[in-house]
Amino acid sequence: MSDLKIGILISGRGSNMASIIEACERGEISAQVACVISNKADAKGLEFAKAHNIPAIVIPHKNYEDRQSFEEVIDKVLTEHNVQLVCLAGFMRLLTAWFTERWTDRIVNIHPSLLPSFKGTKTHKEALEYGAKITGCTVHFLRAEMDHGPIIVQKAVPILEGDTEETLGQRVLQEEHKAYVEALKMIADNRVNIIDERVFITQAL
Ligand code: GRF
């Protein structure tokens, strides 16, 4: 069976994207990153993708009058690159139901908290303000509702006294890199099953 073809959507730094690309190159994930798409021309991750000979395509959302026309172009590029699984990795645009339903069960997101806690973009600030003692990260299939969908992998990170958004964010990010690779490895190995909106993992042989 040929390797799973992954398309990664980014908006910035791309450290999750980089760890996915490296894990595919090492053969840890039986997949190939077929293309990287950014809605921002200055996204740092684009350089990394190009340096690894992966097509890195900019589709500026500002060029489109509504979300769906922007997403139609993304969809076209993904299809042209024979993408089978879409990975959101710091992609800072909300996707409409048109897109999420088109790619249902074939689109994965990473969020820097233990969902369903602390959805949105201020997760570390909110976890600190709430006084939570444990946070973490979640890799999940994406549904139309933001930061929601069947959970594939979660990793816990203790919140330490004296943590700032930056120190906590750094420790969570290290776990994100591991969690995303773990989830994609299982998907590529066909071990991830969604039943009634919950994920069940087939044990490795
Ligand atoms: C990560 O914390 C991810 O969970 C969130 O956005 C951040 C992206 O970081 N969705 P990077 O671009 O992968 O370095």
Side-chain angles (χ1 to χ4, degrees), residues 97-128:
W98 178 82
F99 191 89
T100 57
E101 279 163 23
R102 212 170 157 79
W103 287 88
T104 198
D105 299 349
R106 297 184 297 142
I107 178 163
V108 179
N109 182 40
I110 185 149
H111 183 74
S113 77
L114 293 175
L115 291 175
S117 291
F118 309 120
K119 296 182 176 184
T121 55
K122 295 183 182 137
T123 45
H124 302 315
K125 183 170 186 282
E126 288 174 3
L128 287 166

PDB file of all heavy atoms in Angstrom, residues 97-128:
ATOM      1  N   ALA A  97     -18.508  24.981   7.423  1.00  0.00           N
ATOM      2  CA  ALA A  97     -19.039  23.622   7.352  1.00  0.00           C
ATOM      3  C   ALA A  97     -18.879  23.062   5.938  1.00  0.00           C
ATOM      4  O   ALA A  97     -18.733  21.856   5.752  1.00  0.00           O
ATOM      5  CB  ALA A  97     -20.500  23.614   7.770  1.00  0.00           C
ATOM      6  N   TRP A  98     -18.886  23.946   4.927  1.00  0.00           N
ATOM      7  CA  TRP A  98     -18.692  23.480   3.546  1.00  0.00           C
ATOM      8  C   TRP A  98     -17.388  22.679   3.464  1.00  0.00           C
ATOM      9  O   TRP A  98     -17.350  21.571   2.914  1.00  0.00           O
ATOM     10  CB  TRP A  98     -18.628  24.669   2.569  1.00  0.00           C
ATOM     11  CG  TRP A  98     -18.379  24.212   1.161  1.00  0.00           C
ATOM     12  CD1 TRP A  98     -19.304  23.750   0.275  1.00  0.00           C
ATOM     13  CD2 TRP A  98     -17.099  24.130   0.498  1.00  0.00           C
ATOM     14  NE1 TRP A  98     -18.686  23.381  -0.900  1.00  0.00           N
ATOM     15  CE2 TRP A  98     -17.342  23.612  -0.788  1.00  0.00           C
ATOM     16  CE3 TRP A  98     -15.801  24.452   0.858  1.00  0.00           C
ATOM     17  CZ2 TRP A  98     -16.322  23.397  -1.712  1.00  0.00           C
ATOM     18  CZ3 TRP A  98     -14.772  24.232  -0.055  1.00  0.00           C
ATOM     19  CH2 TRP A  98     -15.044  23.719  -1.330  1.00  0.00           C
ATOM     20  N   PHE A  99     -16.326  23.233   4.040  1.00  0.00           N
ATOM     21  CA  PHE A  99     -15.014  22.588   3.954  1.00  0.00           C
ATOM     22  C   PHE A  99     -14.909  21.394   4.907  1.00  0.00           C
ATOM     23  O   PHE A  99     -14.480  20.310   4.514  1.00  0.00           O
ATOM     24  CB  PHE A  99     -13.909  23.600   4.266  1.00  0.00           C
ATOM     25  CG  PHE A  99     -12.533  23.105   3.945  1.00  0.00           C
ATOM     26  CD1 PHE A  99     -11.981  23.287   2.684  1.00  0.00           C
ATOM     27  CD2 PHE A  99     -11.783  22.446   4.917  1.00  0.00           C
ATOM     28  CE1 PHE A  99     -10.704  22.811   2.390  1.00  0.00           C
ATOM     29  CE2 PHE A  99     -10.512  21.963   4.633  1.00  0.00           C
ATOM     30  CZ  PHE A  99      -9.971  22.160   3.367  1.00  0.00           C
ATOM     31  N   THR A 100     -15.347  21.596   6.161  1.00  0.00           N
ATOM     32  CA  THR A 100     -15.164  20.515   7.143  1.00  0.00           C
ATOM     33  C   THR A 100     -16.011  19.287   6.773  1.00  0.00           C
ATOM     34  O   THR A 100     -15.605  18.155   7.012  1.00  0.00           O
ATOM     35  CB  THR A 100     -15.504  20.971   8.583  1.00  0.00           C
ATOM     36  OG1 THR A 100     -16.837  21.452   8.620  1.00  0.00           O
ATOM     37  CG2 THR A 100     -14.560  22.046   9.075  1.00  0.00           C
ATOM     38  N   GLU A 101     -17.147  19.516   6.139  1.00  0.00           N
ATOM     39  CA  GLU A 101     -17.978  18.372   5.752  1.00  0.00           C
ATOM     40  C   GLU A 101     -17.410  17.668   4.521  1.00  0.00           C
ATOM     41  O   GLU A 101     -17.471  16.458   4.390  1.00  0.00           O
ATOM     42  CB  GLU A 101     -19.435  18.804   5.555  1.00  0.00           C
ATOM     43  CG  GLU A 101     -20.136  18.880   6.903  1.00  0.00           C
ATOM     44  CD  GLU A 101     -21.428  19.677   6.895  1.00  0.00           C
ATOM     45  OE1 GLU A 101     -22.041  19.815   5.815  1.00  0.00           O
ATOM     46  OE2 GLU A 101     -21.806  20.189   7.979  1.00  0.00           O
ATOM     47  N   ARG A 102     -16.828  18.475   3.639  1.00  0.00           N
ATOM     48  CA  ARG A 102     -16.186  17.900   2.458  1.00  0.00           C
ATOM     49  C   ARG A 102     -15.031  16.978   2.863  1.00  0.00           C
ATOM     50  O   ARG A 102     -14.759  15.986   2.219  1.00  0.00           O
ATOM     51  CB  ARG A 102     -15.639  19.069   1.633  1.00  0.00           C
ATOM     52  CG  ARG A 102     -15.634  18.862   0.176  1.00  0.00           C
ATOM     53  CD  ARG A 102     -15.302  20.182  -0.496  1.00  0.00           C
ATOM     54  NE  ARG A 102     -14.769  19.948  -1.808  1.00  0.00           N
ATOM     55  CZ  ARG A 102     -15.523  19.655  -2.856  1.00  0.00           C
ATOM     56  NH1 ARG A 102     -16.817  19.608  -2.720  1.00  0.00           N
ATOM     57  NH2 ARG A 102     -14.972  19.433  -4.032  1.00  0.00           N
ATOM     58  N   TRP A 103     -14.333  17.382   3.941  1.00  0.00           N
ATOM     59  CA  TRP A 103     -13.158  16.621   4.393  1.00  0.00           C
ATOM     60  C   TRP A 103     -13.462  15.859   5.692  1.00  0.00           C
ATOM     61  O   TRP A 103     -12.561  15.538   6.451  1.00  0.00           O
ATOM     62  CB  TRP A 103     -11.966  17.571   4.591  1.00  0.00           C
ATOM     63  CG  TRP A 103     -11.416  18.039   3.279  1.00  0.00           C
ATOM     64  CD1 TRP A 103     -11.810  19.118   2.560  1.00  0.00           C
ATOM     65  CD2 TRP A 103     -10.383  17.404   2.513  1.00  0.00           C
ATOM     66  NE1 TRP A 103     -11.093  19.210   1.384  1.00  0.00           N
ATOM     67  CE2 TRP A 103     -10.211  18.165   1.332  1.00  0.00           C
ATOM     68  CE3 TRP A 103      -9.592  16.264   2.689  1.00  0.00           C
ATOM     69  CZ2 TRP A 103      -9.277  17.824   0.350  1.00  0.00           C
ATOM     70  CZ3 TRP A 103      -8.659  15.924   1.716  1.00  0.00           C
ATOM     71  CH2 TRP A 103      -8.516  16.707   0.560  1.00  0.00           C
ATOM     72  N   THR A 104     -14.687  15.550   5.917  1.00  0.00           N
ATOM     73  CA  THR A 104     -15.051  14.957   7.205  1.00  0.00           C
ATOM     74  C   THR A 104     -14.288  13.648   7.464  1.00  0.00           C
ATOM     75  O   THR A 104     -14.095  12.841   6.555  1.00  0.00           O
ATOM     76  CB  THR A 104     -16.588  14.771   7.315  1.00  0.00           C
ATOM     77  OG1 THR A 104     -16.914  14.608   8.667  1.00  0.00           O
ATOM     78  CG2 THR A 104     -17.121  13.595   6.519  1.00  0.00           C
ATOM     79  N   ASP A 105     -13.788  13.509   8.671  1.00  0.00           N
ATOM     80  CA  ASP A 105     -12.947  12.370   9.089  1.00  0.00           C
ATOM     81  C   ASP A 105     -11.604  12.338   8.352  1.00  0.00           C
ATOM     82  O   ASP A 105     -10.836  11.380   8.499  1.00  0.00           O
ATOM     83  CB  ASP A 105     -13.657  11.007   8.896  1.00  0.00           C
ATOM     84  CG  ASP A 105     -14.917  10.907   9.730  1.00  0.00           C
ATOM     85  OD1 ASP A 105     -15.145  11.777  10.607  1.00  0.00           O
ATOM     86  OD2 ASP A 105     -15.686   9.961   9.504  1.00  0.00           O
ATOM     87  N   ARG A 106     -11.331  13.364   7.568  1.00  0.00           N
ATOM     88  CA  ARG A 106     -10.052  13.419   6.838  1.00  0.00           C
ATOM     89  C   ARG A 106      -9.355  14.751   7.128  1.00  0.00           C
ATOM     90  O   ARG A 106      -8.516  15.204   6.357  1.00  0.00           O
ATOM     91  CB  ARG A 106     -10.291  13.262   5.331  1.00  0.00           C
ATOM     92  CG  ARG A 106     -10.892  11.914   4.953  1.00  0.00           C
ATOM     93  CD  ARG A 106     -11.021  11.760   3.459  1.00  0.00           C
ATOM     94  NE  ARG A 106     -11.934  12.762   2.910  1.00  0.00           N
ATOM     95  CZ  ARG A 106     -11.754  13.378   1.750  1.00  0.00           C
ATOM     96  NH1 ARG A 106     -10.706  13.094   1.009  1.00  0.00           N
ATOM     97  NH2 ARG A 106     -12.622  14.266   1.333  1.00  0.00           N
ATOM     98  N   ILE A 107      -9.743  15.383   8.240  1.00  0.00           N
ATOM     99  CA  ILE A 107      -9.106  16.645   8.624  1.00  0.00           C
ATOM    100  C   ILE A 107      -8.859  16.625  10.130  1.00  0.00           C
ATOM    101  O   ILE A 107      -9.749  16.319  10.919  1.00  0.00           O
ATOM    102  CB  ILE A 107      -9.938  17.872   8.162  1.00  0.00           C
ATOM    103  CG1 ILE A 107      -9.284  19.168   8.601  1.00  0.00           C
ATOM    104  CG2 ILE A 107     -11.369  17.806   8.594  1.00  0.00           C
ATOM    105  CD1 ILE A 107      -9.804  20.387   7.862  1.00  0.00           C
ATOM    106  N   VAL A 108      -7.600  16.921  10.476  1.00  0.00           N
ATOM    107  CA  VAL A 108      -7.133  16.780  11.848  1.00  0.00           C
ATOM    108  C   VAL A 108      -6.582  18.124  12.312  1.00  0.00           C
ATOM    109  O   VAL A 108      -5.991  18.867  11.531  1.00  0.00           O
ATOM    110  CB  VAL A 108      -6.018  15.697  11.894  1.00  0.00           C
ATOM    111  CG1 VAL A 108      -5.469  15.526  13.292  1.00  0.00           C
ATOM    112  CG2 VAL A 108      -6.533  14.374  11.376  1.00  0.00           C
ATOM    113  N   ASN A 109      -6.808  18.421  13.595  1.00  0.00           N
ATOM    114  CA  ASN A 109      -6.329  19.697  14.156  1.00  0.00           C
ATOM    115  C   ASN A 109      -5.564  19.423  15.436  1.00  0.00           C
ATOM    116  O   ASN A 109      -5.783  18.404  16.094  1.00  0.00           O
ATOM    117  CB  ASN A 109      -7.548  20.589  14.469  1.00  0.00           C
ATOM    118  CG  ASN A 109      -7.155  21.954  15.015  1.00  0.00           C
ATOM    119  OD1 ASN A 109      -6.196  22.569  14.548  1.00  0.00           O
ATOM    120  ND2 ASN A 109      -7.880  22.428  16.012  1.00  0.00           N
ATOM    121  N   ILE A 110      -4.665  20.363  15.793  1.00  0.00           N
ATOM    122  CA  ILE A 110      -4.038  20.298  17.116  1.00  0.00           C
ATOM    123  C   ILE A 110      -4.402  21.555  17.873  1.00  0.00           C
ATOM    124  O   ILE A 110      -4.405  22.658  17.312  1.00  0.00           O
ATOM    125  CB  ILE A 110      -2.506  20.104  17.047  1.00  0.00           C
ATOM    126  CG1 ILE A 110      -1.954  19.911  18.469  1.00  0.00           C
ATOM    127  CG2 ILE A 110      -1.806  21.253  16.327  1.00  0.00           C
ATOM    128  CD1 ILE A 110      -0.741  19.038  18.541  1.00  0.00           C
ATOM    129  N   HIS A 111      -4.745  21.357  19.149  1.00  0.00           N
ATOM    130  CA  HIS A 111      -5.118  22.499  19.982  1.00  0.00           C
ATOM    131  C   HIS A 111      -4.317  22.433  21.284  1.00  0.00           C
ATOM    132  O   HIS A 111      -4.201  21.356  21.880  1.00  0.00           O
ATOM    133  CB  HIS A 111      -6.625  22.470  20.278  1.00  0.00           C
ATOM    134  CG  HIS A 111      -7.058  23.653  21.067  1.00  0.00           C
ATOM    135  ND1 HIS A 111      -7.169  24.909  20.506  1.00  0.00           N
ATOM    136  CD2 HIS A 111      -7.356  23.792  22.382  1.00  0.00           C
ATOM    137  CE1 HIS A 111      -7.528  25.759  21.456  1.00  0.00           C
ATOM    138  NE2 HIS A 111      -7.648  25.113  22.595  1.00  0.00           N
ATOM    139  N   PRO A 112      -3.780  23.587  21.740  1.00  0.00           N
ATOM    140  CA  PRO A 112      -2.892  23.549  22.910  1.00  0.00           C
ATOM    141  C   PRO A 112      -3.618  23.579  24.248  1.00  0.00           C
ATOM    142  O   PRO A 112      -3.308  24.413  25.113  1.00  0.00           O
ATOM    143  CB  PRO A 112      -1.996  24.777  22.704  1.00  0.00           C
ATOM    144  CG  PRO A 112      -2.848  25.731  21.960  1.00  0.00           C
ATOM    145  CD  PRO A 112      -3.801  24.907  21.126  1.00  0.00           C
ATOM    146  N   SER A 113      -4.591  22.696  24.426  1.00  0.00           N
ATOM    147  CA  SER A 113      -5.215  22.499  25.741  1.00  0.00           C
ATOM    148  C   SER A 113      -5.833  21.112  25.740  1.00  0.00           C
ATOM    149  O   SER A 113      -5.900  20.458  24.696  1.00  0.00           O
ATOM    150  CB  SER A 113      -6.305  23.545  26.015  1.00  0.00           C
ATOM    151  OG  SER A 113      -7.480  23.233  25.300  1.00  0.00           O
ATOM    152  N   LEU A 114      -6.293  20.708  26.923  1.00  0.00           N
ATOM    153  CA  LEU A 114      -7.008  19.436  27.005  1.00  0.00           C
ATOM    154  C   LEU A 114      -8.473  19.728  26.711  1.00  0.00           C
ATOM    155  O   LEU A 114      -9.220  20.158  27.583  1.00  0.00           O
ATOM    156  CB  LEU A 114      -6.835  18.828  28.407  1.00  0.00           C
ATOM    157  CG  LEU A 114      -5.406  18.387  28.759  1.00  0.00           C
ATOM    158  CD1 LEU A 114      -5.326  17.925  30.209  1.00  0.00           C
ATOM    159  CD2 LEU A 114      -4.916  17.281  27.830  1.00  0.00           C
ATOM    160  N   LEU A 115      -8.887  19.525  25.474  1.00  0.00           N
ATOM    161  CA  LEU A 115     -10.281  19.815  25.111  1.00  0.00           C
ATOM    162  C   LEU A 115     -11.209  18.891  25.890  1.00  0.00           C
ATOM    163  O   LEU A 115     -10.834  17.755  26.177  1.00  0.00           O
ATOM    164  CB  LEU A 115     -10.476  19.639  23.599  1.00  0.00           C
ATOM    165  CG  LEU A 115      -9.768  20.696  22.750  1.00  0.00           C
ATOM    166  CD1 LEU A 115      -9.913  20.363  21.269  1.00  0.00           C
ATOM    167  CD2 LEU A 115     -10.275  22.101  23.045  1.00  0.00           C
ATOM    168  N   PRO A 116     -12.396  19.348  26.309  1.00  0.00           N
ATOM    169  CA  PRO A 116     -13.035  20.587  25.848  1.00  0.00           C
ATOM    170  C   PRO A 116     -12.692  21.834  26.679  1.00  0.00           C
ATOM    171  O   PRO A 116     -13.354  22.849  26.503  1.00  0.00           O
ATOM    172  CB  PRO A 116     -14.525  20.255  25.970  1.00  0.00           C
ATOM    173  CG  PRO A 116     -14.588  19.306  27.123  1.00  0.00           C
ATOM    174  CD  PRO A 116     -13.326  18.497  27.062  1.00  0.00           C
ATOM    175  N   SER A 117     -11.668  21.795  27.522  1.00  0.00           N
ATOM    176  CA  SER A 117     -11.297  23.007  28.260  1.00  0.00           C
ATOM    177  C   SER A 117     -10.551  23.983  27.353  1.00  0.00           C
ATOM    178  O   SER A 117      -9.796  23.556  26.476  1.00  0.00           O
ATOM    179  CB  SER A 117     -10.364  22.663  29.423  1.00  0.00           C
ATOM    180  OG  SER A 117     -11.056  21.945  30.403  1.00  0.00           O
ATOM    181  N   PHE A 118     -10.716  25.247  27.637  1.00  0.00           N
ATOM    182  CA  PHE A 118      -9.901  26.320  27.051  1.00  0.00           C
ATOM    183  C   PHE A 118      -9.820  26.278  25.515  1.00  0.00           C
ATOM    184  O   PHE A 118      -8.744  26.167  24.936  1.00  0.00           O
ATOM    185  CB  PHE A 118      -8.497  26.318  27.680  1.00  0.00           C
ATOM    186  CG  PHE A 118      -8.538  26.327  29.185  1.00  0.00           C
ATOM    187  CD1 PHE A 118      -7.958  25.300  29.929  1.00  0.00           C
ATOM    188  CD2 PHE A 118      -9.197  27.347  29.864  1.00  0.00           C
ATOM    189  CE1 PHE A 118      -8.029  25.303  31.313  1.00  0.00           C
ATOM    190  CE2 PHE A 118      -9.266  27.351  31.259  1.00  0.00           C
ATOM    191  CZ  PHE A 118      -8.689  26.332  31.983  1.00  0.00           C
ATOM    192  N   LYS A 119     -10.970  26.352  24.880  1.00  0.00           N
ATOM    193  CA  LYS A 119     -11.016  26.481  23.416  1.00  0.00           C
ATOM    194  C   LYS A 119     -10.574  27.890  23.029  1.00  0.00           C
ATOM    195  O   LYS A 119     -10.481  28.760  23.899  1.00  0.00           O
ATOM    196  CB  LYS A 119     -12.442  26.239  22.920  1.00  0.00           C
ATOM    197  CG  LYS A 119     -12.917  24.826  23.187  1.00  0.00           C
ATOM    198  CD  LYS A 119     -14.307  24.586  22.657  1.00  0.00           C
ATOM    199  CE  LYS A 119     -14.672  23.113  22.872  1.00  0.00           C
ATOM    200  NZ  LYS A 119     -15.960  22.739  22.318  1.00  0.00           N
ATOM    201  N   GLY A 120     -10.366  28.129  21.762  1.00  0.00           N
ATOM    202  CA  GLY A 120     -10.046  29.479  21.298  1.00  0.00           C
ATOM    203  C   GLY A 120      -8.550  29.741  21.244  1.00  0.00           C
ATOM    204  O   GLY A 120      -7.748  28.812  21.264  1.00  0.00           O
ATOM    205  N   THR A 121      -8.191  31.014  21.193  1.00  0.00           N
ATOM    206  CA  THR A 121      -6.790  31.366  20.924  1.00  0.00           C
ATOM    207  C   THR A 121      -6.017  31.838  22.160  1.00  0.00           C
ATOM    208  O   THR A 121      -4.831  32.101  22.071  1.00  0.00           O
ATOM    209  CB  THR A 121      -6.708  32.478  19.856  1.00  0.00           C
ATOM    210  OG1 THR A 121      -7.499  33.573  20.309  1.00  0.00           O
ATOM    211  CG2 THR A 121      -7.197  32.005  18.504  1.00  0.00           C
ATOM    212  N   LYS A 122      -6.690  31.948  23.311  1.00  0.00           N
ATOM    213  CA  LYS A 122      -5.970  32.440  24.499  1.00  0.00           C
ATOM    214  C   LYS A 122      -5.849  31.340  25.549  1.00  0.00           C
ATOM    215  O   LYS A 122      -6.005  31.580  26.754  1.00  0.00           O
ATOM    216  CB  LYS A 122      -6.732  33.636  25.084  1.00  0.00           C
ATOM    217  CG  LYS A 122      -6.762  34.812  24.144  1.00  0.00           C
ATOM    218  CD  LYS A 122      -7.444  36.003  24.768  1.00  0.00           C
ATOM    219  CE  LYS A 122      -7.502  37.141  23.760  1.00  0.00           C
ATOM    220  NZ  LYS A 122      -8.803  37.813  23.777  1.00  0.00           N
ATOM    221  N   THR A 123      -5.598  30.137  25.099  1.00  0.00           N
ATOM    222  CA  THR A 123      -5.671  28.960  25.971  1.00  0.00           C
ATOM    223  C   THR A 123      -4.751  29.046  27.180  1.00  0.00           C
ATOM    224  O   THR A 123      -5.187  28.796  28.296  1.00  0.00           O
ATOM    225  CB  THR A 123      -5.303  27.694  25.178  1.00  0.00           C
ATOM    226  OG1 THR A 123      -4.154  27.986  24.416  1.00  0.00           O
ATOM    227  CG2 THR A 123      -6.400  27.280  24.274  1.00  0.00           C
ATOM    228  N   HIS A 124      -3.470  29.389  26.961  1.00  0.00           N
ATOM    229  CA  HIS A 124      -2.532  29.357  28.089  1.00  0.00           C
ATOM    230  C   HIS A 124      -2.865  30.463  29.095  1.00  0.00           C
ATOM    231  O   HIS A 124      -2.817  30.248  30.297  1.00  0.00           O
ATOM    232  CB  HIS A 124      -1.089  29.481  27.591  1.00  0.00           C
ATOM    233  CG  HIS A 124      -0.714  28.402  26.635  1.00  0.00           C
ATOM    234  ND1 HIS A 124      -1.035  27.079  26.865  1.00  0.00           N
ATOM    235  CD2 HIS A 124      -0.101  28.429  25.424  1.00  0.00           C
ATOM    236  CE1 HIS A 124      -0.626  26.345  25.847  1.00  0.00           C
ATOM    237  NE2 HIS A 124      -0.061  27.147  24.959  1.00  0.00           N
ATOM    238  N   LYS A 125      -3.220  31.635  28.600  1.00  0.00           N
ATOM    239  CA  LYS A 125      -3.615  32.747  29.472  1.00  0.00           C
ATOM    240  C   LYS A 125      -4.811  32.316  30.329  1.00  0.00           C
ATOM    241  O   LYS A 125      -4.813  32.493  31.552  1.00  0.00           O
ATOM    242  CB  LYS A 125      -3.984  33.955  28.597  1.00  0.00           C
ATOM    243  CG  LYS A 125      -4.347  35.208  29.345  1.00  0.00           C
ATOM    244  CD  LYS A 125      -4.438  36.373  28.356  1.00  0.00           C
ATOM    245  CE  LYS A 125      -4.661  37.682  29.076  1.00  0.00           C
ATOM    246  NZ  LYS A 125      -6.053  37.861  29.500  1.00  0.00           N
ATOM    247  N   GLU A 126      -5.790  31.714  29.683  1.00  0.00           N
ATOM    248  CA  GLU A 126      -7.012  31.327  30.412  1.00  0.00           C
ATOM    249  C   GLU A 126      -6.739  30.194  31.410  1.00  0.00           C
ATOM    250  O   GLU A 126      -7.279  30.199  32.517  1.00  0.00           O
ATOM    251  CB  GLU A 126      -8.112  30.923  29.427  1.00  0.00           C
ATOM    252  CG  GLU A 126      -8.664  32.142  28.707  1.00  0.00           C
ATOM    253  CD  GLU A 126      -9.654  31.797  27.609  1.00  0.00           C
ATOM    254  OE1 GLU A 126      -9.975  30.609  27.429  1.00  0.00           O
ATOM    255  OE2 GLU A 126     -10.092  32.738  26.924  1.00  0.00           O
ATOM    256  N   ALA A 127      -5.895  29.262  31.032  1.00  0.00           N
ATOM    257  CA  ALA A 127      -5.576  28.156  31.958  1.00  0.00           C
ATOM    258  C   ALA A 127      -4.856  28.708  33.188  1.00  0.00           C
ATOM    259  O   ALA A 127      -5.141  28.308  34.319  1.00  0.00           O
ATOM    260  CB  ALA A 127      -4.714  27.113  31.249  1.00  0.00           C
ATOM    261  N   LEU A 128      -3.939  29.648  32.971  1.00  0.00           N
ATOM    262  CA  LEU A 128      -3.213  30.260  34.106  1.00  0.00           C
ATOM    263  C   LEU A 128      -4.168  31.056  34.975  1.00  0.00           C
ATOM    264  O   LEU A 128      -4.154  30.934  36.203  1.00  0.00           O
ATOM    265  CB  LEU A 128      -2.081  31.162  33.585  1.00  0.00           C
ATOM    266  CG  LEU A 128      -0.876  30.423  32.996  1.00  0.00           C
ATOM    267  CD1 LEU A 128       0.020  31.378  32.216  1.00  0.00           C
ATOM    268  CD2 LEU A 128      -0.080  29.721  34.094  1.00  0.00           C
TER     269      LEU A 128
END
